[in-house]
Amino acid sequence: MPVLPGAEPYRHEGGEVGVLLCHGFTGSPQSLRPWAEHHAARGLTVSLPLLPGHGTRWEDMQLTTWQDWYAEVDRELRVLTERCSRVFVAGLSMGGALALRLAARHGERVAGAVVVNPANRVHGLSAYALPVARHLVRTTKGIASDIAKPGAAELGYDRVPLHAAHSLRTFLRRLDGELPQVTQPLLLLRSARDHVVPAADSARVLSRVSSTDVTEIVLEHSYHVATLDEDADRVFEESLAFIGRLAPIVGKEGTAAVG
């Protein structure tokens, strides 16, 4: 299936500091494109892949699993580490969870992690019914475009395929056991009002990781997709400052350097 206009992956060849951005469940690179372009303009090498089964139609996602999504970002990280001296991982929602697993599994290859409204579990009684329900019902209502900003919209599926949701639940349960392996500096940004991922998920992440350099920022004016919302500029600037602190960046557009 052709990729939906706007859902294409994004890559930028910049300096020696790289960042891998991971989009969310049923979403696409469109939700992180402004973040990617912001960092590219400041000289970073940026990779924003399209996860398998995403960015086309929900029927394609029904055939994929968390192993497919993780394998894609794992490949991109390996390419970045060959190209750059220091690499950071970042993501929104499930993309934040993928970024945390990269940090847990790759150790010193990852210089730091930035997560926005990271998912830690599938909530509600329906989560417990998924193993059976996915064989009886194909989809449920979508979760895309939880955004406070008028006129802003996320390019994502209007249906959630239940086979994929079951796989997401399996992944998040596995990741929860791996979070203590995350030791890198961590910047976590969460929305005060999020209708998709509750604050309890961020609290769980913060309680489980072994990082000692941890910063939590509450975004007061955004819903779940904060990267397209009222606090988007703050997300971009805070993450750039975080990266710059750990891998000093020259403050001119188009240039970057490792200290």
Side-chain angles (χ1 to χ4, degrees):
M1 289 295 295
V3 174
L4 296 170
E8 303 86 0
Y10 174 86
R11 291 175 180 83
H12 173 78
E13 290 290 330
E16 288 294 312
V17 179
V19 59
L20 169 60
L21 298 174
C22 309
H23 70 75
F25 183 71
T26 73
S28 74
Q30 177 262 354
S31 62
L32 302 187
R33 184 66 177 258
W35 192 3
E37 292 178 342
H38 178 277
H39 283 14
R42 273 80 180 165
L44 277 72
T45 292
V46 180
S47 176
L48 170 53
L50 172 64
L51 300 179
H54 293 71
T56 53
R57 57 178 190 162
W58 69 259
E59 290 89 346
D60 296 327
M61 190 177 178
Q62 185 82 324
L63 304 176
T64 64
T65 66
W66 75 262
Q67 290 94 336
D68 300 313
W69 314 326
Y70 180 76
E72 181 68 22
V73 296
D74 188 77
R75 279 192 296 268
E76 290 294 326
L77 178 63
R78 294 176 189 276
V79 171
L80 274 180
T81 54
E82 292 176 0
R83 163 72 176 77
C84 300
S85 297
R86 296 189 194 176
V87 176
F88 295 80
V89 293
L92 166 70
S93 195
M94 181 187 76
L98 291 170
L100 288 168
R101 188 165 202 253
L102 290 171
R105 294 179 64 87
H106 285 275
E108 293 182 355
R109 282 187 165 188
V110 174
V114 180
V115 293
V116 180
N117 294 321
N120 178 259
R121 58 177 294 191
V122 175
H123 293 269
L125 294 175
S126 59
Y128 297 96
L130 275 174
V132 174
R134 65 195 176 104
H135 297 293
L136 305 174
V137 181
R138 299 183 73 191
T139 68
T140 187
K141 64 179 181 179
I143 57 173
S145 274
D146 184 35
I147 302 173
K149 185 177 182 179
E154 180 187 17
L155 181 59
Y157 296 147
D158 60 1
R159 305 297 297 174
V160 172
L162 292 191
H163 278 302
H166 175 67
S167 188
L168 172 63
R169 180 173 181 254
T170 301
F171 166 61
L172 294 177
R173 294 176 72 178
R174 176 184 293 258
L175 172 64
D176 190 67
E178 297 175 336
L179 286 176
Q181 299 172 39
V182 177
T183 60
Q184 298 90 338
L186 173 64
L187 171 62
L188 186 150
L189 305 102
R190 66 172 180 85
S191 298
R193 292 173 294 169
D194 187 328
H195 305 98
V196 178
V197 174
D201 283 33
S202 289
R204 177 71 176 178
V205 168
L206 293 174
S207 73
R208 295 283 289 162
V209 297
S210 299
S211 307
T212 56
D213 181 347
V214 177
T215 303
E216 179 184 16
I217 294 174
V218 178
L219 306 172
E220 298 289 351
H221 309 292
S222 298
Y223 294 164
H224 183 62
V225 191
T227 50
L228 295 177
D229 216 327
E230 302 286 4
D231 295 296
D233 287 343
R234 186 173 186 197
V235 172
F236 307 159
E237 292 300 333
E238 293 285 0
S239 63
L240 187 68
F242 173 80
I243 293 170
R245 174 169 64 82
L246 299 167
I249 300 168
V250 178
K252 297 180 180 179
E253 292 194 1
T255 60
V258 176

